[in-house]
Amino acid sequence: RHNGNIMLDSEGHIIHIDFGFILGDSPGFNMNFESAAFKLTKEYADLMGGRDSPAWAEFKDLFVRGFRVLQLHVEELCALVQLYFGPNALRRNSVEVLRSRIKDASDDDIVKLIYDSYNAMSTRGYDYYQRQNGIRD
């Protein structure tokens, strides 16, 4: 990931963030190079011990729990996005995109995001494109 997508918490943990992606901006200037809900490469899963590992099960559990917290606060998040972009911004549909991605997802929908994102062909293709063009992920 590029430096704009890396955050350190107060204890020094590295956290991958991508606010543009959750607001509807995809890599390649929205030309749909990357269609996965989030980047979850095979290498990420391997670091957890694979998809049959206890760490993978914990990842899924924490992902669902974190998503549920977002759902509890989706209107507050949308209000912040609206304040940031303002009423006349080019990205004025960002609030609707954010709300639609979070608001009504069931546990099954949330887990499906994980499996649909795992080692996605669009992610692999976009990473390959970046490497071929001297861009590092």
Side-chain angles (χ1 to χ4, degrees):
R1 307 309 299 169
H2 61 78
N3 291 340
N5 287 353
I6 303 295
M7 181 171 71
L8 295 175
D9 71 8
S10 60
E11 296 177 9
H13 298 107
I14 297 174
I15 302 167
H16 171 243
I17 58 172
D18 196 339
F19 295 115
F21 198 60
I22 197 169
L23 297 174
D25 287 343
S26 65
F29 304 102
N30 290 327
M31 295 177 70
N32 295 318
F33 286 133
E34 176 65 271
S35 59
F38 64 99
K39 186 171 186 171
L40 182 59
T41 64
K42 181 180 180 309
E43 292 82 6
Y44 289 172
D46 288 347
L47 286 171
M48 290 184 259
R51 294 190 306 169
D52 294 324
S53 71
W56 176 265
E58 182 180 12
F59 166 73
K60 287 191 315 184
D61 178 60
L62 292 172
F63 190 93
V64 171
R65 289 171 49 196
F67 206 99
R68 288 287 178 219
V69 171
L70 287 174
Q71 287 177 320
L72 291 173
H73 300 284
V74 68
E75 293 308 320
E76 292 94 331
L77 290 169
C78 289
L80 289 171
V81 170
Q82 183 63 47
L83 283 171
Y84 179 78
F85 287 126
N88 299 317
L90 293 174
R91 299 178 186 169
R92 62 179 161 254
N93 71 334
S94 293
V95 172
E96 291 79 22
V97 169
L98 177 62
R99 185 178 288 117
S100 71
R101 288 182 174 200
I102 295 174
K103 190 167 186 171
D104 296 321
S106 68
D107 284 358
D108 288 341
D109 294 332
I110 298 166
V111 171
K112 186 174 182 325
L113 288 174
I114 296 169
Y115 284 100
D116 287 351
S117 297
Y118 170 75
N119 206 31
M121 185 184 301
S122 61
T123 298
R124 292 189 325 263
Y126 187 63
D127 286 351
Y128 175 80
Y129 168 81
Q130 287 183 311
R131 284 190 299 275
Q132 295 304 306
N133 291 284
I135 304 167
R136 300 288 176 222
D137 57 346

